[in-house]
Amino acid sequence: MTFAAKSVLGASLEDGLGTGVAFQLPEKPFLADTALHVQKVVVSVTGPNIGNAMLTPPFIPQLNEYYGRTAYFRGSAARSDPGGLGIILNVTDEQLTLHTLPFPELISRIFEIHGIKAKPSPAGLLTSRLVAQMGGLQGCRVFKIAGVRSLIKKYAPDRSFERTEALTMIGDADPATHQQRFDAYKRLYIEQRDKPELKPEDAFLYLLKKGVFRAGLKLACPTCQLDFWVTLDDAKSTTECVYCGFAFNVVPQLRDRNWAYRRSGLFGRDDHQRGGIPVAVMLHFSS
Ligand SMILES: [Zn+2]
């Protein structure tokens, strides 16, 4: 016998066991008198994913024991449902607290049923860090822009570029017609904006905000004549040359200097982020 579904508001909680959701059970469509406390009922919960974890895992009854132990502390209490997670409760129970199931562990368990040992690869871990740096898969929309991908590819982490170069690459002008191929993305949503059309500047500013690039200055040493780059944080009126150690006053150079940008953080790795950018774009399309 089944009853109609009801919506309830859950309160999320964080404890030593991870993220969970606590909720009051709705009014029961059956007699729940204390005299009947030995009677059981299955509450089937359907809920959203929370961050990197699931509240209602896929329908795999072989994982009931794992589901019960992880979500409800009792291996025998869970029954995987198509589209929900069933928990066996007493008819008199008034509330339910469920812990979420972390994706990586859940995926390993699914493979384990079929005798396959699975663990995240270094490339996979890097991609998940990359997605996190961008603020989630939706934050990776900016990588749909071909010019953004070319810009990241073109400048190795030890090479800097100026804003105009960045905007030209993101704008992706056709060398023959000078038509900006960026036009294909002018409706792309990357973050809240006041104007209807996206411009290459918006994409560049977004990448700066997300720490894909950082700002600095390219300076020329008066002694050894070599150019070197310092971050905005390290730039001082008297700066030491990284090659010869000579300390010189940079102020006279500032007149004709623009900010020079470099890739930073995870994007400062010289391994193409192990293919993380195309994977993030692909995951975004399929999400
Ligand atoms: Zn020098």
Side-chain angles (χ1 to χ4, degrees), residues 48-91:
N49 294 336
I50 300 170
N52 208 12
M54 289 185 121
L55 194 59
T56 45
F59 175 51
I60 306 173
Q62 292 99 310
L63 291 180
N64 278 344
E65 202 270 335
Y66 165 68
Y67 287 168
R69 195 158 31 80
T70 313
Y72 191 63
F73 312 116
R74 282 176 52 209
S76 59
R79 296 290 180 273
S80 187
D81 270 352
L85 179 63
I87 300 290
I88 303 170
L89 296 178
N90 295 324
V91 289

